[in-house]
Amino acid sequence: MEKSMMDQDILKVLYTEEEIAQRIREMGRQMYEDLKDKEPLFVSVLRGAFIFMADIVRACQVRCDVEFIAVSSYGNATSTSGAVQITHDIQQDISGRHLVVIEDILDSGNTLHFLKQYFLTKGAASVTICTLLDKPSRRTKAIHADYVGFEVPDEFVVGYGLDYAQKYRNLPYIGVLKPEVYTK
Ligand code: 5GP
Ligand code: MG
């Protein structure tokens, strides 16, 4: 395929569209075995996890429902501010439900640490964490992901839902931007 304008900003591809699809099929099969009797509620963290959510729920054919939560994030910078704020909350009572939080990337752990406590406080029976990417080298909060797609090095990645300044989310692969893109 011809290189798009966005492709030209990419320094290197970490995971291709095919590699992501293959890994999600594997994760979905494993999650199916673990969750099939739980009628889980999948909660996607907007906006970064919207594409992963669409793919993982189809790879995991359990009886389930879906919800979306939005939290404040990086703004246009590439490092976190620490504080987490809910900007859009889920729309139903979760007491007694088995939640599966679907996240794009686990970095410092702030977001998922906060959300796990939040959902448990609201009465969830369990909170399982499923993240496509994990950057363990940057962790500052004790938080464990139950399902991880890929472990990534300490580099800022974009694509497959992940943005830089709200762009690049629609790249079908995951890659690293050229340094000059940040200074444009
Ligand atoms: P944490 O709260 O674990 O530090 O960060 C979680 C959020 O930070 C992710 O949901 C994601 O939105 C953002 N984030 C962390 N690392 C990256 C990255 O390498 N690229 C992008 N685009 N977002 C990231
Ligand atoms: Mg996110």
Side-chain angles (χ1 to χ4, degrees):
M1 202 160 61
E2 200 184 316
K3 276 199 159 200
S4 74
M5 296 200 19
M6 286 189 296
D7 292 329
Q8 291 166 20
D9 292 343
I10 299 296
L11 181 67
K12 63 179 176 196
V13 175
L14 290 184
Y15 299 104
T16 64
E17 190 173 357
E18 293 73 25
E19 287 167 335
I20 296 168
Q22 169 63 30
R23 183 71 188 110
I24 290 175
R25 276 194 295 274
E26 291 168 7
M27 294 172 84
R29 277 198 289 272
Q30 193 197 338
M31 288 167 73
Y32 176 82
E33 290 306 319
D34 299 344
L35 299 167
K36 60 181 185 236
D37 301 321
K38 295 195 164 156
E39 205 158 312
L41 172 61
F42 285 83
V43 183
S44 170
V45 186
L46 294 174
R47 280 168 269 194
F50 80 112
I51 293 179
F52 181 40
M53 175 72 153
D55 284 344
I56 197 73
V57 294
R58 286 178 295 173
C60 180
Q61 289 285 304
V62 291
R63 182 182 294 274
C64 67
D65 42 350
V66 300
E67 280 281 356
F68 299 88
I69 193 163
V71 295
S72 63
S73 64
Y74 284 3
N76 288 354
T78 57
S79 67
T80 187
S81 63
V84 180
Q85 208 186 337
I86 294 173
T87 55
H88 168 83
D89 207 345
I90 54 177
Q91 305 291 306
Q92 61 176 281
D93 178 17
I94 60 166
S95 51
R97 296 297 305 273
H98 294 285
L99 264 61
V100 184
V101 182
I102 304 297
E103 180 58 305
D104 52 0
I105 185 165
L106 176 52
D107 187 31
S108 72
N110 275 328
T111 308
L112 286 174
H113 185 267
F114 171 86
L115 285 177
K116 188 165 187 173
Q117 289 313 312
Y118 178 72
F119 292 137
L120 289 172
T121 303
K122 287 197 139 200
S126 66
V127 179
T128 297
I129 289 175
C130 172
T131 185
L132 180 65
L133 304 177
D134 186 10
K135 249 189 219 178
S137 57
R138 302 236 318 160
R139 200 82 82 253
T140 58
K141 285 271 165 56
I143 182 94
H144 165 77
D146 302 275
Y147 304 99
V148 174
F150 303 103
E151 228 178 69
V152 288
D154 184 10
E155 285 183 289
F156 192 78
V157 299
V158 297
Y160 195 76
L162 292 119
D163 72 307
Y164 169 62
Q166 299 304 329
K167 299 296 186 290
Y168 305 100
R169 293 191 194 276
N170 57 333
L171 284 175
Y173 54 82
I174 291 166
V176 177
L177 285 173
K178 291 177 181 166
E180 61 260 34
V181 176
Y182 298 114
T183 49
K184 255 189 221 164

